Amino acid sequence: MATLYKTAKSEYQDVDDVLEEREKRSDIKQRVLMVASRGVTFRQRHLMNDLEILLPHSKKESKVEAKQDIDILNELAEIQNCNNVFYFEARKHQDLYLWIARAPSGPSVKFHVQNIHTMDELKMTGNCLRGSRPVLSFDSNFDSEPHLQLLKEIFTQTFGVPKGARKSKPFFDHVFTFSVVDGRIWFRNFQIVEKDAQTGGDMAKNAKPTLVEIGPRFVLNTIRIFEGSFGGPTLYENPRYISPNVVRAAVRSQKATKYASRVADTQDREARARANPMPTDPLRDVFE
């Protein structure tokens, strides 16, 4: 009886350990699927690769057609066992839109990505170890409006690498900063430097660690926040957002107006010259 009791007790302990381990894994289950549409440029592709390196809990999927039903991304996320999706949608080989969605129930946000600078372009002196976890730093403006609070929660769940995630290291050596400036969200990545960059030795005891930007950097202009994943009712729409197609059309219209005004000035000058002819010189033929 004592042997059977010890065996049953050990089996119950094994089951409890399995349940505890499963509960821990449920907290870790925070994965991001990164997908790009066809037609992305080299700079947009390098930005996606940089984010994949900085987020060790991400998984990369092959390109999809932008004209296909966007709901297929939820199926890809389910297949890859991911609950967050980064979808880089390229249009006209020059505009980049970023979808950040919580699959499969939502919410989702659509951004217009501007001022892209990759790690290779910046050529900063800093460098962070691959797989390290980032510290998320948010501007105080994120607590001012409801839609910014929602964006802060979305960024926390997607850019925050959970403890014990795959390919992640158990330490912090860089900082992701999110700042709201001029109605846009500015993303920067800084390395936490604890050594003196000039001498190469350890810093003084009273000296504070410094931050060195290592990239990438980009600006997110919020377009719309949806209740569902890649669609559904609109929770927020940016009234200040202007489509890049409208901007380019305005530039072309301005150039066309400038050319039309130049042609009109030329015609006006010719008409004035015909209406006011120069008087003939009576001595013009004397010396010929």
Side-chain angles (χ1 to χ4, degrees):
M1 291 294 292
T3 305
L4 293 175
Y5 175 75
K6 291 181 181 180
T7 305
K9 185 177 180 181
S10 62
E11 291 178 356
Y12 281 125
Q13 289 179 352
D14 294 340
V15 172
D16 292 339
D17 295 337
V18 171
L19 293 177
E20 290 179 0
E21 186 67 23
R22 185 173 297 176
E23 289 178 358
K24 293 180 181 179
R25 290 181 180 178
S26 63
D27 296 334
I28 296 174
K29 188 179 180 182
Q30 193 75 252
R31 300 185 181 92
V32 179
L33 178 66
M34 291 193 177
V35 188
S37 65
R38 296 191 180 277
V40 293
T41 61
F42 70 96
R43 178 177 295 177
Q44 298 168 357
R45 185 174 63 253
H46 288 176
L47 174 64
M48 180 179 175
N49 293 334
D50 291 344
L51 291 179
E52 182 188 5
I53 294 174
L54 294 175
L55 302 178
H57 63 303
S58 63
K59 292 184 179 180
K60 191 175 181 181
E61 184 65 32
S62 59
K63 298 179 182 179
V64 298
E65 290 288 346
K67 296 182 180 180
Q68 290 182 352
D69 190 3
I70 202 170
D71 291 337
I72 195 175
L73 298 175
N74 293 324
E75 299 179 2
L76 292 176
E78 184 179 359
I79 293 173
Q80 294 291 343
N81 197 19
C82 297
N83 48 12
N84 298 294
V85 180
F86 278 18
Y87 177 50
F88 296 85
E89 182 181 1
R91 295 182 182 177
K92 299 184 178 180
H93 298 279
Q94 52 185 343
D95 300 330
L96 179 63
Y97 298 91
L98 174 60
W99 288 81
I100 300 180
R102 182 77 175 179
S105 58
S108 58
V109 190
K110 184 178 182 181
F111 299 100
H112 180 213
V113 187
Q114 300 172 329
N115 301 333
I116 299 174
H117 298 280
T118 61
M119 289 184 179
D120 296 335
E121 291 178 347
L122 293 176
K123 295 182 180 179
M124 298 294 183
T125 57
N127 184 22
C128 65
L129 297 177
R130 191 185 184 101
S132 60
R133 299 172 62 195
V135 177
L136 302 184
S137 175
F138 292 93
D139 188 7
S140 59
N141 294 325
F142 276 95
D143 298 329
S144 60
E145 298 183 16
H147 73 278
L148 293 177
Q149 295 177 1
L150 178 58
L151 291 178
K152 179 180 179 180
E153 182 64 25
I154 292 175
F155 290 147
T156 302
Q157 295 182 6
T158 53
F159 285 93
V161 179
K163 182 179 179 181
R166 69 184 195 98
K167 299 182 181 179
S168 65
K169 304 298 188 298
F171 51 80
F172 302 88
D173 65 348
H174 60 287
V175 181
F176 289 165
T177 62
F178 299 89
S179 304
V180 180
V181 180
D182 194 20
R184 294 173 173 82
I185 301 173
W186 297 60
F187 175 87
R188 296 291 185 270
N189 182 24
F190 296 92
Q191 180 194 3
I192 303 174
V193 180
E194 297 182 354
K195 292 184 178 181
D196 192 354
Q198 297 180 356
T199 62
D202 294 337
M203 299 180 63
K205 294 182 180 180
N206 297 329
K208 296 181 180 180
T210 58
L211 297 179
V212 179
E213 186 176 1
I214 58 179
R217 61 165 68 169
F218 53 88
V219 179
L220 298 176
N221 191 6
T222 308
I223 301 176
R224 189 173 295 185
I225 301 177
F226 300 93
E227 182 179 356
S229 179
F230 300 102
T234 301
L235 299 179
Y236 171 78
E237 184 177 1
N238 188 4
R240 301 176 57 185
Y241 172 72
I242 300 176
S243 174
N245 296 327
V246 177
V247 176
R248 286 190 291 267
V251 173
R252 289 194 299 266
S253 177
Q254 186 177 3
K255 291 182 179 179
T257 305
K258 186 184 297 184
Y259 175 76
S261 61
R262 188 166 63 247
V263 171
D265 293 341
T266 303
Q267 295 176 354
D268 189 17
R269 185 170 59 254
E270 293 176 353
R272 289 198 306 270
R274 290 193 299 268
N276 301 311
M278 294 291 293
T280 58
D281 187 6
L283 300 178
R284 185 181 59 180
D285 300 333
V286 174
F287 301 101
E288 291 183 357

